[in-house]
Amino acid sequence: MICKNKADTLTSSFGMRISRIFLPQILLFFCLSHVNCQSRSTQTGGPAAVASGLGEGQRLLSRAKRGWVWNQMFVLEEFSGRDPILVGRLHTDLDVGNKNIKYVLSGEGAGTIFAINELTGDIHAMKRLDREEKAEYTLKAQVVDADNNEPLEPPSEFIIKVQDINDNPPQFIEGPYHASVPEMSAVGTPVTRVTATDADDPVYGNSAKLVYSILDGQPYFSVDPNTATIKIALHGMDREMREEYLVVIQAKDMGGHMGGLSGTTTVTVTLTDINDNPPKFSKSLYEFVIPEDRTVGEVGGRVKANDRDIGENAKSTYNIIEGDDQGSFEIITDTQTQEGILRLKKPLDYENKRTFTLKVEATNIRAEPSPSGGPFKDTATVKITVEDTDEPPVFSKPMYLLEVKENAPINTVIGTVTARDPDASGSLVRYFIDRHTDLERQFNINVDDGKITLAKALDRETDTWHNITVTATEVSNQISRANVAIRVMDINDNAPEFADEYDAVLCENGKPGQVVQIVSAVDKDDPIQGHYFDYRLVPEMLNNPNFTIKNNQDNTISILAKHDTFRRQKQKLYYLPIIVTDNGNPPMSSTNTLTIRVCGCSKEGIVGSCNAEASVLPIGLSMGALIAILACIILLLVIVVLFVTLRRHKNEPLIIKDDEDVRENIIRYDDEGGGEEDTEAFDIATLQNPDGINGYLPRKDIKPDLQFMPRAGQHSGPNGVDVDEFINVRLHEADNDPTAPPYDSIQIYGYEGRGSMAGSLSSLETASSDSDQNYDYLREWGPRFRRLGELYSVGESDRET
């Protein structure tokens, strides 16, 4: 009765407007509310259950009476009226008219999309709704005290669903489409399938029910209205006639009825090729002219068979099926142009055959069944004319093999080569040897008849084969070439000899019959039957008392000792001449001498010393020990010599040091003399070192390793001395002294020379003291005295300081 009352109240409140506009929604709302009322009456809710007068374990369950119950409401999408649309009304039994209550709405869209009248409970949609954007809204309603907002009932949840209208057309999301189907396909062959989507509600009404139709593309294609499958609708669709089709497909909702929305897409259908066309020659007769001198493998002509198909279906192979009994031609396929290339397989000869008539066939590579049927090949005739050309001479053989013995005399005929002019004129042929292949000019050839003769002697051991090139030339200077291989045949012209320079060793303690050496021989010749060597001692050594030979039957011999009394002190070398003979015709032989050394060996046969003096060494003292002793003696002598040399160097100091100067030997004197022309005031001998009276003044700043022998000079007397010459001689000796060290050695003389502008440098002639002297004038004498002036000036300044 509560639901019914609410329905009656809601219906009476809405009036005719609601019944006309929202009658289906209201009836559905009432039915759902009635069901909710019945189902909820069996549930427990509201206040807590009350238990009175019941025993333990028993409880009386009851629920507080809900004033109003509902489930969901509906509203149409895309409503475009000026006033808000009424969705529904909420009512509670607490609203008796004298109670101060209000209705509160919360949840999705509350206050923005949906608004509620606090006094009446009317719910309005404030905005235009779109079901495709949001299909339903969940909200909560509650009754509270208008004065203090205290809830009078628990909140109840309900749903407002947006009802769909047909406001979205169908769309082909994946379009435009591209599809392919083989040409000549049967009617009804599926091509492709398209799909359209509709955003409207597929459950409510026919807004999303689509029907497909073809707008453009008939009569070639059809479309299934329900599945949207495009199929072949016309028989015999040929790609060579038309390859591509554009089909327009339409999808319409509302089941295709009037008023429904529609959308279109395009489908590009391409017919793929099948092998339904045979190859076809562009003409039935081809004519080519080929010169006879064209080489094998060269192109003689091209033919072409066209095929309307494409790809693999258009590829063809060519074959010669008639007219080439000699196999002079071959035909291959150019993979790029699909042409048949006619090539020479054998040389042409105008004099033998001048024309060829060939029948060529072109066949498809892929011969698959097709609706057209018939053979997939075509034939054409090819006529070839051979053109005469001036050809070079032709040798009877492409290569000649000749033989000659290595001892053949000069001008021996080795062989003959022949060539002819293949032309009808039959010109004479002349022969020559290409000297680039016969640099040593060992062969000659007759210009007219082609006979090859020997120009120099040949040696097989030097060159076994000789390869030369012979040219044949005719009058028109046409040249052809042929290779001639000449083999030098062997004769027995080399004597055998030892295979190696043997170093034979014989042990002193060996037993009779011991093998001293195994000897083999070699021969530069190469006989057909192979080598066989015979070894024997020279006749005067047949009764050799020391050695004998033994044949090993493998072209080697063993040298055997006859006794065991070989001693180095008696004889340390033996010479054994052996004759080696081969089996040639005539046989050749040579005498080879084997040198045998006698050596001392250990018991195991290991060779020790081969010197004869080794036996005279002291017993128990080896050669190594003697060498060590000798080395020690030499070392001691070297030490003694070094010690004596060092002692001698210590006794004689290398440098005589002065207290004031370690590098200069200064001769001091206090007598200046009477001037440059005065020779009476002093004896010139005072300038000479007493040790240098004989003309040799030894260096005292070093100890020379070599004694410099001075030249005998003139001795000047005290009264008749040429001082100028004396100083020059001493200067020359100092400059050319090989014992002079790299540093300077100053020699000071008291004689100043003649005509000196400086006058005397001595301080004896002045009465003033050193402190009164002014040496600045030394700088004015020129660059040679500038340094001396600087030294004296520095000395004066230091003294003043």
Side-chain angles (χ1 to χ4, degrees):
M1 292 302 293
I2 296 175
C3 291
K4 181 178 179 181
N5 292 337
K6 300 300 179 289
D8 293 341
T9 304
L10 186 58
T11 303
S12 61
S13 301
F14 288 168
M16 292 302 295
R17 181 183 177 186
I18 297 179
S19 63
R20 279 188 283 112
I21 301 177
F22 300 109
L23 185 58
Q25 294 91 328
I26 295 172
L27 292 177
L28 179 61
F29 168 71
F30 288 158
C31 293
L32 293 175
S33 300
H34 180 68
V35 173
N36 274 338
C37 290
Q38 292 180 353
S39 61
R40 296 193 182 194
S41 62
T42 61
Q43 297 178 358
T44 303
V50 179
S52 62
L54 297 177
E56 186 178 358
Q58 295 180 345
R59 182 173 296 174
L60 179 62
L61 299 178
S62 63
R63 62 183 300 273
K65 183 178 179 181
R66 178 74 56 87
W68 41 272
V69 178
W70 65 93
N71 183 265
Q72 57 186 355
M73 296 181 183
F74 297 89
V75 60
L76 287 175
E77 67 170 335
E78 304 295 344
F79 182 78
S80 57
R82 292 181 298 176
D83 299 327
I85 183 174
L86 178 64
V87 180
R89 172 178 290 180
L90 304 180
H91 187 74
T92 179
D93 291 342
L94 299 178
D95 187 5
V96 294
N98 56 357
K99 197 165 185 179
N100 190 14
I101 64 172
K102 66 178 180 179
Y103 296 92
V104 179
L105 187 66
S106 63
E108 294 178 339
T112 57
I113 299 176
F114 303 101
I116 189 172
N117 190 314
E118 296 180 350
L119 301 178
T120 63
D122 294 340
I123 299 176
H124 292 82
M126 309 301 293
K127 293 182 179 181
R128 183 176 180 178
L129 301 179
D130 188 358
R131 190 201 67 84
E132 287 72 34
E133 181 178 347
K134 189 172 180 63
E136 62 181 30
Y137 298 86
T138 302
L139 297 97
K140 291 182 180 180
Q142 192 175 22
V143 178
V144 299
D145 192 316
D147 297 330
N148 53 18
N149 290 327
E150 289 292 333
L152 303 177
E153 285 186 351
S156 295
E157 185 177 87
F158 65 98
I159 296 174
I160 298 178
K161 290 188 175 182
V162 181
Q163 278 192 325
D164 183 49
I165 64 173
N166 190 21
D167 59 342
N168 291 281
Q171 293 182 350
F172 292 91
I173 305 301
E174 299 178 359
Y177 296 86
H178 294 270
S180 62
V181 64
E183 63 175 331
M184 298 297 179
S185 297
V187 175
T189 302
V191 177
T192 187
R193 181 181 178 183
V194 297
T195 303
T197 59
D198 196 319
D200 292 328
D201 190 357
V203 178
Y204 181 77
N206 293 327
S207 298
K209 185 177 181 181
L210 306 179
V211 174
Y212 298 90
S213 61
I214 184 168
L215 300 182
D216 191 8
Q218 294 175 332
Y220 308 104
F221 302 96
S222 62
V223 63
D224 187 289
N226 297 319
T227 62
T229 300
I230 301 175
K231 301 178 182 179
I232 296 292
L234 184 64
H235 176 73
M237 298 177 65
D238 191 359
R239 186 202 64 82
E240 287 73 29
M241 299 298 295
R242 183 178 177 183
E243 184 176 5
E244 190 173 273
Y245 298 84
L246 184 65
V247 180
V248 180
I249 302 297
Q250 174 184 267
K252 190 174 184 181
D253 59 11
M254 298 299 293
H257 293 94
M258 185 178 297
L261 304 178
S262 63
T264 60
T265 187
T266 59
V267 181
T268 302
V269 181
T270 303
L271 297 183
T272 58
D273 184 59
I274 65 171
N275 192 17
D276 58 340
N277 294 281
K280 186 68 176 177
F281 283 102
S282 58
K283 53 186 178 179
S284 59
L285 177 63
Y286 294 85
E287 292 183 344
F288 302 108
V289 177
I290 303 176
E292 64 174 336
D293 60 351
R294 188 155 293 180
T295 58
V296 173
E298 286 194 46
V299 177
R302 290 174 177 262
V303 296
K304 177 71 178 293
N306 298 312
D307 195 323
R308 297 177 63 191
D309 296 323
I310 60 175
E312 294 293 327
N313 297 323
K315 292 183 179 180
S316 301
T317 58
Y318 298 87
N319 296 287
I320 300 174
I321 59 177
E322 290 181 11
D324 189 24
D325 299 333
Q326 298 178 357
S328 301
F329 301 93
E330 64 178 353
I331 189 168
I332 62 173
T333 303
D334 189 333
T335 57
Q336 300 297 327
T337 63
Q338 291 301 307
E339 291 179 312
I341 303 175
L342 190 66
R343 301 192 308 184
L344 291 182
K345 196 174 181 181
K346 292 182 179 179
L348 300 178
D349 189 0
Y350 174 81
E351 288 72 24
N352 292 334
K353 191 170 183 179
R354 301 183 181 184
T355 60
F356 295 86
T357 301
L358 309 178
K359 191 174 183 180
V360 178
E361 181 183 70
T363 306
N364 275 151
I365 296 176
R366 298 179 62 179
E368 59 186 16
S370 69
S372 64
F376 287 88
K377 56 186 177 181
D378 192 21
T379 59
T381 302
V382 178
K383 186 176 180 180
I384 299 173
T385 302
V386 181
E387 183 181 31
D388 187 23
T389 59
D390 188 10
E391 300 177 85
V394 178
F395 281 95
S396 58
K397 298 179 182 178
M399 182 175 181
Y400 294 85
L401 178 61
L402 306 178
E403 293 181 350
V404 61
K405 291 186 178 181
E406 62 178 328
N407 64 341
I410 305 300
N411 295 326
T412 299
V413 178
I414 302 173
T416 304
V417 297
T418 58
R420 64 176 181 86
D421 183 6
D423 296 327
S425 59
S427 302
L428 295 177
V429 177
R430 298 172 66 84
Y431 303 92
F432 302 94
I433 293 177
D434 186 354
R435 291 304 176 182
H436 292 91
T437 61
D438 184 27
L439 298 177
E440 298 181 4
R441 296 182 174 271
Q442 296 175 308
F443 306 96
N444 290 326
I445 190 170
N446 190 290
V447 176
D448 299 321
D449 58 13
K451 289 183 180 180
I452 300 176
T453 57
L454 191 63
K456 291 183 180 180
L458 303 179
D459 185 7
R460 189 204 65 85
E461 287 72 35
T462 303
D463 290 305
T464 305
W465 288 92
H466 297 270
N467 296 305
I468 62 175
T469 300
V470 176
T471 61
T473 307
E474 59 171 322
V475 178
S476 60
N477 291 328
Q478 292 285 345
I479 300 176
S480 59
R481 300 174 182 271
N483 294 324
V484 179
I486 301 173
R487 180 182 180 185
V488 182
M489 305 299 294
D490 184 47
I491 64 171
N492 192 27
D493 59 345
N494 290 279
E497 57 186 10
F498 280 173
D500 196 1
E501 295 182 2
Y502 296 102
D503 182 17
V505 176
L506 174 64
C507 292
E508 287 181 316
N509 57 353
K511 298 179 180 180
Q514 66 172 323
V515 177
V516 178
Q517 182 69 50
I518 296 178
V519 177
S520 62
V522 293
D523 195 333
K524 295 181 180 179
D525 296 323
D526 187 17
I528 299 176
Q529 67 275 14
H531 289 290
Y532 175 77
F533 301 117
D534 177 64
Y535 302 86
R536 67 182 185 275
L537 298 175
V538 295
E540 57 269 20
M541 297 289 291
L542 291 177
N543 296 322
N544 190 303
N546 298 315
F547 304 99
T548 184
I549 61 176
K550 175 185 175 184
N551 193 337
N552 297 327
Q553 303 301 323
D554 58 355
N555 274 345
T556 64
I557 59 171
S558 298
I559 309 299
L560 306 179
K562 285 187 174 182
H563 56 82
D564 58 354
T565 58
F566 295 97
R567 295 294 180 269
R568 285 174 289 172
Q569 295 78 12
K570 181 179 179 182
Q571 184 176 350
K572 62 179 181 178
L573 293 177
Y574 292 87
Y575 299 98
L576 185 65
I578 301 174
I579 299 175
V580 185
T581 307
D582 61 18
N583 59 335
N585 186 18
M588 301 289 291
S589 63
S590 66
T591 301
N592 301 264
T593 302
L594 179 67
T595 302
I596 302 173
R597 294 187 300 157
V598 180
C599 299
C601 302
S602 63
K603 294 181 180 180
E604 293 78 13
I606 301 175
V607 178
S609 175
C610 296
N611 296 326
E613 293 79 5
S615 59
V616 301
L617 294 176
I619 299 176
L621 193 61
S622 64
M623 179 63 70
L626 291 176
I627 294 174
I629 293 174
L630 183 61
C632 292
I633 293 173
I634 294 173
L635 181 61
L636 290 175
L637 291 176
V638 171
I639 293 174
V640 171
V641 171
L642 291 176
F643 178 76
V644 172
T645 303
L646 292 175
R647 290 293 302 271
R648 183 178 178 182
H649 279 234
K650 289 181 179 180
N651 292 334
E652 296 181 7
L654 295 178
I655 300 176
I656 301 175
K657 298 181 180 180
D658 191 78
D659 293 338
E660 297 180 358
D661 193 354
V662 298
R663 291 292 183 183
E664 299 176 352
N665 295 328
I666 301 176
I667 301 175
R668 296 178 175 84
Y669 59 93
D670 297 328
D671 187 4
E672 182 181 6
E676 295 177 354
E677 304 297 332
D678 184 11
T679 58
E680 301 296 334
F682 63 95
D683 189 359
I684 193 64
T686 58
L687 297 177
Q688 302 174 356
N689 191 301
D691 297 333
I693 297 300
N694 296 326
Y696 173 64
L697 182 63
R699 300 287 300 274
K700 293 186 179 182
D701 52 348
I702 65 168
K703 180 177 179 62
D705 294 331
L706 300 175
Q707 290 293 336
F708 176 68
M709 299 302 296
R711 296 177 300 172
Q714 296 179 354
H715 298 279
S716 301
N719 298 323
V721 176
D722 189 350
V723 179
D724 213 30
E725 181 181 359
F726 172 80
I727 293 176
N728 288 332
V729 170
R730 289 293 182 264
L731 180 62
H732 177 75
E733 291 176 356
D735 290 340
N736 294 278
D737 187 1
T739 62
Y743 49 81
D744 292 333
S745 177
I746 301 176
Q747 299 185 14
I748 300 175
Y749 299 91
Y751 182 69
E752 298 169 355
R754 299 185 181 91
S756 174
M757 296 174 59
S760 176
L761 298 179
S762 175
S763 60
L764 297 178
E765 65 182 3
T766 176
S768 61
S769 63
D770 293 342
S771 59
D772 298 330
Q773 293 289 332
N774 185 5
Y775 298 99
D776 292 340
Y777 64 89
L778 294 176
R779 302 181 181 180
E780 301 174 357
W781 289 357
R784 295 187 178 183
F785 295 89
R786 183 176 298 126
R787 180 59 181 165
L788 184 62
E790 292 176 356
L791 293 175
Y792 275 88
S793 298
V794 171
E796 289 295 320
S797 61
D798 291 342
R799 187 178 295 108
E800 291 174 1
T801 302

